[in-house]
Amino acid sequence: MLAPDRAEPAPAGRSPWILGASDLDVLVQALAGLGYRVLGPVARDGGIVIDEVRRAADLPVGLEDVQAPGRFRLERRDHGAYFAFTVGHVSWKQTFHVPVERLFQVRRSKEGFSVIPEPMPHQRVALLGARACDLHAIAIQDRILMQGAHADPRYAARRSDVFVVAVNCIRAGNTCFCVSMGTGPRAERGFDLALTELLDAGEHRFLVEVGSDAGAAVVAGMPVRPATPEEADAAARVSARTASSMGRELDTDGLKERLQQNLEHPRWDEVAERCLACTNCTLVCPTCFCTDVEDTTDLTGETAERTKRLDSCFTMGFSHVHGGSVRSSIKARYRQWLTHKLASWHDQFGSSGCVGCGRCITWCPVGIDITEEAAAVGRPEQRPETDG
Ligand code: SF4
Ligand code: SF4
């Protein structure tokens, strides 16, 4: 699969197909038969995680998410849809930019030390149910971790053999704002196949778009029929309805400049009063990529190892340099996170660092909302009027 920002648009002339919902399992088995480990959304412990999908029935059938700042709940509906929820706290980040991994070991011997590198990872995975916002997040991480000055060969190895089945969202969550960020709700590129679930006219089916030769080869072996123009229109209407029902919006016009001109805005103090510096927002964010390395030795002193772990700019230790932490206050850390995401990310990586998935809003234990904070900081400060 090509990254969304490098992939060619879906080739012209590839007409969409219709796959009956009861045949979704044929797609799962076809991917498994090609040697892919199929990963997708699975309901677990009241949330949606990403795990191995062995059968279509493993998907969160009939479940919808109810999200709000600091709140997430799954509710059952009687529509039987496979993909009626939006996104859970887990993103595809864990599949490629794994949270914890050993990089090498060092062993002491009579002759001295020997360094044992960790074998390069290899995985052949199919992502089943990747949303448009998450495809953009993967593209952002690809730019940083595969094309930048500090490319990570272990990330590149995990990204080298991936088949993507995108799913166009059929409803928007209360904390979603992908339309504002230009990242959804419809997957435009970066997929091998894209599904739009149709539940109209008493018929449950998927409109299947083909985005690559690999996708076309998979469809060739499936029980599909050509989509009618009416079905293609119905899929377009589903995306339009989702786009018009976003739970949040963010005015990105001049936002970078507005944020960078307001680094002393009093709103930073207000949000710092609420922020717990718990790091949740960075851990659930599909684009946050910072890591640290940790060296440990065993009690005998014979073996040491270096481990890479996801880190967060909300910890005091993250910016610790000689003499102490550069950002010792929560105000400084929140300001750094938000202005990096929405402003200096543009300077550093050529795009916003936010794809509007809303995870940081939902999973913030005190319900801090990046769209509210960015809008408040970006507004001119209201000073009390004084006489004379
Ligand atoms: S900053 Fe928040 S809304 Fe934006 S991509 Fe990260 S988790 Fe999603
Ligand atoms: S903004 Fe919310 S999720 Fe992020 S560190 Fe502060 S309290 Fe935690």
Side-chain angles (χ1 to χ4, degrees), residues 239-260:
S239 292
R241 192 179 62 220
T242 304
S244 65
S245 59
M246 289 284 125
R248 295 276 186 288
E249 61 180 9
L250 179 63
D251 177 9
T252 58
D253 198 19
L255 181 62
K256 171 180 179 296
E257 293 73 23
R258 284 186 277 130
L259 292 175
Q260 289 176 331

Side-chain angles (χ1 to χ4, degrees), residues 177 285-286 337 341 354-360 370:
F177 56 104
C285 179
W337 178 72
K341 279 275 154 215
C354 174
V355 296
C357 71
R359 287 183 176 93
C360 60
I370 186 173

Side-chain angles (χ1 to χ4, degrees), residues 274-282 314 334 360 363-366 368:
R274 299 169 62 211
C275 176
L276 308 172
C278 69
T279 78
N280 266 17
C281 48
T282 51
F314 277 91
Y334 187 86
C360 60
W363 297 96
C364 172
V366 292
I368 293 173

Side-chain angles (χ1 to χ4, degrees), residues 193-246:
L193 297 175
L195 310 180
T196 305
E197 193 164 13
L198 299 174
L199 294 144
D200 59 326
E203 203 186 338
H204 189 182
R205 61 217 190 281
F206 292 96
L207 182 120
V208 183
E209 292 167 87
V210 175
S212 71
D213 292 342
V218 169
V219 165
M222 307 254 314
V224 293
R225 63 166 172 83
T228 64
E230 291 74 24
E231 286 168 325
D233 287 349
R237 279 199 303 277
V238 166
S239 292
R241 192 179 62 220
T242 304
S244 65
S245 59
M246 289 284 125

